[in-house]
Amino acid sequence: MASTETPTHCPYCALQCGMKLRPAAGAAVAEVVERTDFPVNRGALCGKGRTAPAVLAAGARLTEPLVRDAVTGKLEPAGWDEALALVAGRLGGTRAEHGADAVGVFGGGGLTNEKAYTLGKFARVALGTSQIDYNGRFCMSSAAAAHQRAFGLDRGLPFPLEDVSRTGCVILVGSNLAETMPPALRYLTELRENGGRLIVIDPRRTRTAEQADLHLAPRPGTDLALALGMLHLVVAEGRVDEEFVRTRTSGWDGARAGAIAHWPELVERLTGVPVPLLREAVEMFCGAGEGMVLTARGPEQQAKGTDTVGAWINFCLATGRAGRPLSGYGCLTGQGNGQGGREHGQKADQLPGYRKLTDPEARRHVAEVWGVDPGSLPGPGRSAYELLDALGRDVRSLLVMGSNPVVSAPHAGHIEERLRSLDFLVVADVVLSETAALADVVLPVTQWAEETGTMTSLEGRVLLRRQALTPPPGVRSDLEVLHALAGLLGHGKGFPADPEEVFDELRRASAGGPADYAGISYARIVAEDGVFWPCPDEDHPGTPRLFLERFATDDGLARFVPVTHRPAAEETDADYPVVLTTGRVVSHYQSGAQTRRVAELNAAAPGPFVELHPRLAERLGVSEGDPVAVTSRRGRAEAPARITTGIRQDTVFMPFHWPGEGRANTLTNPALDPVSRMPEYKVCAVRVEAAG
C-alpha cells in the first residue's frame, strides 16, 4: 500500500485542526500523522482527532444501503438503484399528494460547504420545499443573530485565533475549551504567559476554569444579568470609552439605561456571584490595554441567548473593545462546519452567501446562478426544532443528512416520537445512528477522509479537506446521492457530484453577498493554508480581521441593542428544585454517533453521568457511582453520580452524548429564543433522586 501522506483536517469540531493521513496496512484504515505546519493547531490533536480513522473501519461504518422490509419491519441490505428509486418515489409521492412543504430536509453543521450548498439547492429546486433547516440552529444561532444585530455581519471570530494569545484580557463565557477544543487551550496558556489575564464564567469549575485568573460561577440562566451588572459597573465607575462610543457606535443611550437598572447587589441576588468578584472582573478587563469576550454554548443555548450575547457585545462596545486590533467579541463555533453550514443555504431563512431568503435582489442573484425563476424559490421555512416538531403532521416525509436528532434534539423523547410518526424517513450517514435506525431507507455515505470538500472554521478561514482514502465498495458521497435523487425527480442538470465544480458554483452564488467566497479557489486554499472570507475576487487577500475600519452596517457604526434580564423559560420550584445544565466531555463529540464507535474513546468515557455537589449528594443519600434519577417535566434520565465540589450546590450537570436511559436531552426544554429560535438546552428545572 502506498505510504503517501495527504494533508487534511480533523472531521470534528470547528477548530478544524490540520493533520496528515497515511494509508495503513492491516486492520487500521489509516494512520494520523502530525501536521506541524498548519498554524491553528501546530500539530497538536485531541484524542478524537487522533483516533478519527477508526470510524471508517469495517464494522464501525455502513457499507451498503438498507431498506426496511415491509413484512419483518427490519432494515435489510439493498442495491443503490432500488434504494434511490424508493427514496425519489416516496419523496415525490408525498409532494404530489400533500404539497411540496410536506417534504422536509434536515441537514448538519458537519457537512462540507459543497454539501450544505447542494442540500439547500436540492430542497428549494428539486423538491420545491421551504422546510429545510439544520442542527447548527442548536449550536451557534443566538450568537449569529446577535452578531447580525450589532455588527451587520456574522462570522464567529472576527479575528484569527492567534490574536487571542496577544490580547490583554479574555473573558470566556460558558466554554470549556480544555474538553471541547483541547488544542485551542494553548492560546489561553500563551495569553497568560504573555502577561494577559483570563476570566472564566461557568457554573462549573471545569478544567478550563482551573486555568483562569478569576472564575465566576453564576447560576445557570443568569448570564444576561451578569453581563448587565458588569456593564453597570463600567458606567458607574467612569470606564466607558466615550470617544469610541461617540464615533463608532449608535444606540448607546438605550443600552446604558438597561445596564443602570441592573445594580451590583441585584445582580448578586440573581446570579449568586458576589459583588466584589464582579468589581474584580471589571477592573481586570478594563485595566488591560486590549480585551476580548468569547462566548460559547453556555450563554447562547438559552431562550434569551440572543439578548445575552447582545449584552456581552454591549460590554465590549462600551469599553472600546471592538473594531480594534487585538480586541472584540467572538463566538467559539462548535460544529466542524457550523460557520459555513449556515452561510450557504441549509438554514431555513437563508440563501448562499449569507443572503436573506426574503430579499428580492438575493433571490434574483441566486436564481440566476441556479437557472430558475426567482418566483419559484419558496420562502422561509420552520426553524430546526419547529420543523422536527411538525413531523408526522404538516411534514410527512423527511430527508436527514449528517444529523442525529434522536440524541441531540431537546425534548428528545418527543422528537423520537415525531420521527416515528413520519410516513417516510430517509437518512444518509456514515454510521447507523439512532436516527438512522428509525429510517425506512438508510444511505451509506462517504465521510471526511474519503472525499474532498471545503470547511469554514470558527475563524472564518475556508479550508480544504482532501480525499486521502478510497471509500469501500457500496458507499457513495452525499453529492452523488443528491445528484442521483435530483435526476430521478426530473432535475438531471444543476446538481453536479464533483465537489470542485460545486464549489465554483457556490463562489458565483455567494459573490456580492455578506459571506463572499468569489475569490476563493481550491488552489488558493492549498497555497495559503486557508483563505478568510469575505474574499470578493482572486486578487483580494482575504479578511482575517473584520471591522477595523467600519462595521458591516449601513452607516458603518456598531449598534448597541437595549436588553434586560428575564428569568429562564422554566424556573425551579418545590417540585423541581434543582437546575440541570448540559455539555460535552473531552472524549466524545456531539451526539456521539461516531465517537461511541471508537474503543479508545469509549474506554475513557464509557457512559453518561450526573455531576453534583457533595452537599446535594449528602441530602439525597448518594455516594460516588450510585445511580441517580433526574426528572424534568419532559421525562426521566438515569446515570451514575459523579460528586465534585466544582459545581454549584443548586445545579447538576449531564453530558449529552448518549442515547437510552442516560439521554440528557430527554430532559431539556425546547423553549425557543424569539430571535434565533435556539432551544434552552442550558437550563431547566429538575428533580434529583437516588435511583433504585
Side-chain angles (χ1 to χ4, degrees):
M1 186 175 289
S3 60
T4 304
E5 294 177 356
T6 303
T8 189
H9 296 272
C10 177
Y12 292 115
C13 80
L15 207 58
Q16 285 298 287
C17 291
M19 60 167 65
K20 295 179 182 178
L21 281 183
R22 180 170 58 210
V29 176
E31 297 173 350
V32 172
V33 180
E34 285 188 1
R35 184 180 168 189
T36 56
D37 61 331
F38 186 64
V40 174
N41 63 308
R42 303 173 225 164
L45 293 169
C46 72
K48 295 185 293 292
R50 187 171 40 78
T51 61
V55 179
L56 303 176
R61 55 95 50 79
L62 297 166
T63 57
E64 57 187 345
L66 303 173
V67 172
R68 194 167 299 280
D69 186 276
V71 177
T72 66
K74 296 180 179 179
L75 287 169
E76 302 290 354
W80 271 99
D81 289 346
E82 175 191 350
L84 290 170
L86 177 57
V87 172
R90 294 296 299 273
L91 296 182
T94 297
R95 182 180 60 184
E97 183 176 354
H98 300 287
D101 279 357
V103 182
V105 176
F106 198 83
L111 300 180
T112 64
N113 289 315
E114 293 81 357
K115 294 178 185 180
Y117 171 85
T118 303
L119 189 61
K121 182 179 179 182
F122 177 80
R124 295 182 174 104
V125 175
L127 295 174
T129 182
S130 67
Q131 300 303 301
I132 174 172
D133 210 75
Y134 81 128
N135 62 17
R137 181 78 68 172
F138 298 157
C139 193
M140 302 79 46
S141 58
S142 291
H147 259 123
Q148 293 281 10
R149 292 200 309 192
F151 305 134
L153 182 69
D154 162 43
R155 197 180 83 186
L157 291 182
F159 39 73
L161 270 170
E162 65 184 63
D163 287 3
V164 172
S165 63
R166 300 163 54 211
T167 192
C169 182
V170 170
I171 299 178
L172 188 65
V173 190
S175 171
N176 184 11
L177 274 181
E179 299 208 46
T180 59
M181 296 179 176
L185 191 64
R186 67 169 42 182
Y187 293 100
L188 300 180
T189 302
E190 291 171 3
L191 165 76
R192 300 185 70 205
E193 290 172 348
N194 292 336
R197 312 295 293 279
L198 173 63
I199 301 168
V200 171
I201 298 173
D202 197 306
R204 304 165 62 221
R205 188 163 182 81
T206 62
R207 289 171 54 190
T208 306
E210 294 283 356
Q211 309 297 314
D213 296 283
L214 179 64
H215 172 217
L216 308 182
R219 189 173 190 265
T222 64
D223 306 87
L224 176 52
L226 184 70
L228 286 164
M230 289 176 62
L231 182 54
H232 176 106
L233 289 171
V234 167
V235 175
E237 296 175 1
R239 298 179 184 273
V240 175
D241 188 329
E242 301 286 357
E243 174 68 12
F244 180 87
V245 169
R246 183 179 63 81
T247 60
R248 297 207 59 192
T249 73
S250 65
W252 168 232
D253 288 345
R256 181 183 184 278
I260 290 299
H262 292 77
W263 59 95
E265 291 75 15
L266 170 64
V267 170
E268 178 177 320
R269 290 200 299 272
L270 292 170
T271 66
V273 177
V275 171
L277 293 186
L278 291 174
R279 296 187 184 279
E280 184 179 353
V282 171
E283 168 64 33
M284 192 178 293
F285 187 78
C286 293
E290 299 91 15
M292 297 175 179
V293 175
L294 305 178
T295 69
R297 306 302 79 76
E300 297 164 17
Q301 287 181 325
Q302 298 184 32
K304 52 182 180 291
T306 302
D307 283 357
T308 302
V309 173
W312 286 112
I313 292 175
N314 288 347
F315 179 78
C316 288
L317 294 175
T319 55
R321 267 63 171 185
R324 289 175 168 171
L326 304 182
S327 289
Y329 164 77
C331 160
L332 297 172
T333 301
Q335 294 193 76
N337 200 30
Q339 183 68 53
R342 67 182 184 265
E343 294 168 2
H344 297 300
Q346 64 173 335
K347 200 173 178 184
D349 55 353
Q350 287 175 349
L351 288 170
Y354 229 142
R355 288 181 159 91
K356 294 180 180 178
L357 192 52
T358 53
D359 179 359
E361 176 55 29
R363 294 170 67 88
R364 183 206 61 76
H365 174 86
V366 173
E368 183 176 345
V369 173
W370 288 353
V372 300
D373 180 351
S376 70
L377 298 178
R382 293 175 173 89
S383 71
Y385 182 81
E386 291 163 308
L387 172 57
L388 294 172
D389 187 45
L391 300 180
R393 295 187 286 258
D394 297 329
V395 178
R396 310 293 291 269
S397 293
L398 182 70
L399 166 63
V400 177
M401 278 192 165
S403 187
N404 187 19
V406 166
V407 179
S408 63
H411 198 183
H414 170 68
I415 296 307
E416 182 175 345
E417 291 175 0
R418 301 310 331 140
L419 286 160
R420 291 181 183 276
S421 74
L422 282 163
D423 295 344
F424 183 73
L425 173 63
V426 54
V427 175
D429 209 330
V430 67
V431 297
L432 189 67
S433 69
E434 286 72 23
T435 303
L438 302 181
D440 298 286
V441 177
V442 182
L443 302 176
V445 291
T446 54
Q447 174 59 271
W448 163 61
E450 303 165 343
E451 60 187 12
T452 294
T454 59
M455 306 286 281
T456 305
S457 75
L458 78 170
E459 303 176 296
R461 187 194 303 248
V462 185
L463 303 164
L464 185 65
R465 295 203 312 206
R466 282 168 276 197
Q467 182 177 350
L469 305 171
T470 301
V475 174
R476 299 186 184 182
S477 73
D478 293 280
L479 292 179
E480 289 172 326
V481 169
L482 293 172
H483 168 80
L485 289 176
L488 291 169
L489 291 166
H491 294 268
K493 295 182 179 180
F495 293 89
D498 177 73
E500 189 166 10
E501 185 178 349
V502 174
F503 189 75
D504 286 341
E505 183 182 307
L506 180 157
R507 294 169 62 192
R508 298 194 301 275
S510 74
D516 192 335
Y517 284 32
I520 305 176
S521 65
Y522 277 20
R524 275 195 71 177
I525 295 171
V526 172
E528 301 173 28
D529 271 335
V531 181
F532 292 85
W533 70 262
C535 183
D537 59 67
E538 294 185 359
D539 294 325
H540 191 282
T543 315
R545 295 170 180 85
L546 296 169
F547 312 140
L548 296 183
E549 297 179 2
R550 69 188 311 275
F551 294 95
T553 56
D554 291 341
D555 58 9
L557 303 178
R559 295 184 289 253
F560 282 99
V561 177
V563 296
T564 188
H565 174 72
R566 57 187 185 272
E570 183 178 79
E571 292 284 284
T572 56
D573 57 22
D575 293 325
Y576 300 94
V578 177
V579 177
L580 168 71
T581 192
T582 64
R584 286 172 48 191
V585 298
V586 67
S587 294
H588 290 293
Y589 181 71
Q590 304 301 78
S591 74
Q594 296 186 35
T595 53
R596 285 186 275 112
R597 286 167 168 78
V598 179
E600 180 179 330
L601 301 179
N602 268 333
F609 57 86
V610 180
E611 186 177 278
L612 67 164
H613 191 275
R615 290 184 182 174
L616 177 57
E618 183 179 5
R619 291 201 301 271
L620 299 175
V622 169
S623 300
E624 180 76 17
D626 287 351
V628 172
V630 183
T631 306
S632 76
R633 291 177 173 86
R634 288 153 297 280
R636 181 182 187 274
E638 184 176 319
R642 182 172 294 182
I643 301 173
T644 172
T645 58
I647 192 168
R648 292 175 55 95
Q649 297 180 41
D650 58 5
T651 301
V652 294
F653 166 84
M654 291 186 70
F656 54 69
H657 309 293
W658 287 273
E661 66 177 10
R663 182 173 62 184
N665 279 320
T666 296
L667 309 169
T668 48
N669 190 355
L672 301 181
D673 181 290
V675 179
S676 68
R677 316 308 289 167
M678 165 75 82
E680 190 152 74
Y681 284 101
K682 288 303 181 193
V683 49
C684 72
V686 297
R687 180 173 64 251
V688 185
E689 304 163 299

